[in-house]
Amino acid sequence: MNKDIAIMGCGWLGLPLAKKFINEGYEVNGTTTSEEKLPLLSKEGIQPFLITLSETKITGDISSFLSKVHVLIINVPPKLRGNHKENYVRKMELVLEAMKPSNIKHVVFVSSTSVYGDIDGEVTEETTPKPSTESGKQLLACEQLFLKQPEIETTIIRFGGLIGINRNPVTMLSKRKNLKNGNAPINLIHLNDCIGIIYKSVEENWGTELINGVYPYHPSKKDYYTLQAIKNNIEAPEYTEDIPKKGKLIHSYTLTNVKGFKFTTTL
């Protein structure tokens, strides 16, 4: 098995992911958009590349980044919050164009459960997505873009909300008032399990597959974030007494029942 891979996006998830692969004997090419971060990537044993994606071009040595690898992990989320209204789909089209001269046969595309939108009730990999945000809509379009490439096998991994060391949504929700949907279930996953899922998808060559990555623990948002606030000694958010609503409860059936993945880190 070829153990040379490329990780596009070595940030909060991508950097520890790259370290995991290196520890398992892989050679890793990794990108960053920050010149100051290049020495850090080198220090961790990553072959660093300064590459920036825009809607019109890719800046940096994308050819060398993609050369000699057969697996590309795309971990570049769309920037569509606030005043950012980028064409993320166009960025991914440029990545596909850049891949054509390469030997890449397997893509792992890191997506999000936001593609399911405001669906009410239980959600599995068989559920038809109904994205309600611009981010969700563009992610779904990019999933389809890669899945339509006959010469490439694409593993789509739809992660729930990401948590980990120094990252928990409760810190942003603290002190907020009149929040809605307090009765809806959480759909979260720890960084450690994100890394485990992506690693397993490459190591076992899952090929073309659609995976939900959500930890199987779904208390209500109100209960969970209140408890987390107490644990972190911060003020808990306050939820309105809204009309009871199921909210979406996302299952990872393919991941656990078909692929045999076992989660390791509780929420």
Side-chain angles (χ1 to χ4, degrees):
M1 175 183 176
N2 183 289
K3 302 200 81 169
D4 295 324
I5 67 168
I7 299 178
M8 184 170 284
C10 288
W12 184 80
L13 168 59
L15 180 57
L17 175 66
K19 291 166 66 174
K20 165 67 174 177
F21 276 104
I22 289 170
N23 288 338
E24 297 295 338
Y26 283 77
E27 298 289 331
V28 179
N29 292 348
T31 73
T32 178
T33 59
S34 170
E35 188 169 358
E36 292 75 19
K37 200 173 177 180
L38 292 172
L40 172 61
L41 268 61
S42 293
K43 182 180 178 181
E44 298 296 347
I46 303 165
Q47 182 63 42
F49 290 84
L50 185 66
I51 293 176
T52 303
L53 304 180
S54 75
E55 299 172 8
T56 57
K57 65 179 180 179
I58 298 177
T59 303
D61 192 358
I62 189 70
S63 296
S64 294
F65 169 67
L66 297 174
S67 68
K68 300 179 182 179
V69 300
H70 291 80
V71 178
L72 170 64
I73 299 169
I74 300 176
N75 176 44
V76 183
K79 298 177 181 178
L80 291 165
R81 293 182 178 179
N83 296 322
H84 292 287
K85 302 298 179 184
E86 71 173 11
N87 188 333
Y88 181 71
V89 178
R90 180 54 188 152
K91 283 186 173 184
M92 293 302 106
E93 288 174 341
L94 290 175
V95 172
L96 272 171
E97 283 294 318
M99 286 169 53
K100 286 184 177 179
S102 74
N103 294 316
I104 292 171
K105 302 300 180 185
H106 182 195
V107 168
V108 179
F109 184 77
V110 176
S111 188
S112 164
T113 54
S114 65
V115 300
Y116 293 116
D118 298 322
I119 293 175
D120 199 31
E122 298 197 2
V123 172
T124 72
E125 289 89 351
E126 300 296 323
T127 302
T128 300
K130 295 180 181 179
S132 55
T133 63
E134 184 60 25
S135 177
K137 292 174 183 177
Q138 292 206 38
L139 278 170
L140 182 60
C142 290
E143 289 181 6
Q144 297 303 313
L145 183 66
F146 281 96
L147 289 171
K148 289 178 181 177
Q149 308 303 315
E151 69 281 6
I152 302 171
E153 293 185 321
T154 300
T155 305
I156 305 293
I157 306 178
R158 295 171 176 167
F159 284 128
L162 306 180
I163 68 169
I165 298 175
N166 299 322
R167 178 167 176 163
N168 190 302
V170 73
T171 58
M172 294 181 288
L173 296 174
S174 176
K175 300 182 180 181
R176 291 182 62 179
K177 313 293 184 183
N178 300 316
L179 294 175
K180 297 181 179 180
N181 299 326
N183 294 315
I186 63 166
N187 294 285
L188 304 176
I189 184 170
H190 195 278
L191 172 65
N192 293 343
D193 283 318
C194 293
I195 292 171
I197 293 167
I198 296 173
Y199 175 76
K200 192 176 176 72
S201 73
V202 173
E203 181 69 11
E204 297 183 357
N205 191 26
W206 287 357
T208 299
E209 194 69 81
L210 175 61
I211 301 291
N212 286 339
V214 176
Y215 189 83
Y217 172 62
H218 304 277
S220 71
K221 292 180 179 180
K222 180 178 180 180
D223 289 346
Y224 178 75
Y225 290 123
T226 298
L227 179 60
Q228 290 300 308
I230 293 172
K231 287 182 177 179
N232 288 277
N233 197 29
I234 59 177
E235 186 176 333
E238 293 183 7
Y239 288 87
T240 59
E241 294 298 325
D242 54 2
I243 298 173
K245 182 181 179 182
K246 289 182 180 179
K248 60 177 180 284
L249 194 159
I250 302 174
H251 297 285
S252 301
Y253 286 147
T254 300
L255 180 63
T256 56
N257 295 2
V258 178
K259 299 303 180 183
F261 181 82
K262 296 185 184 301
F263 290 89
T264 63
T265 309
T266 60
L267 306 178

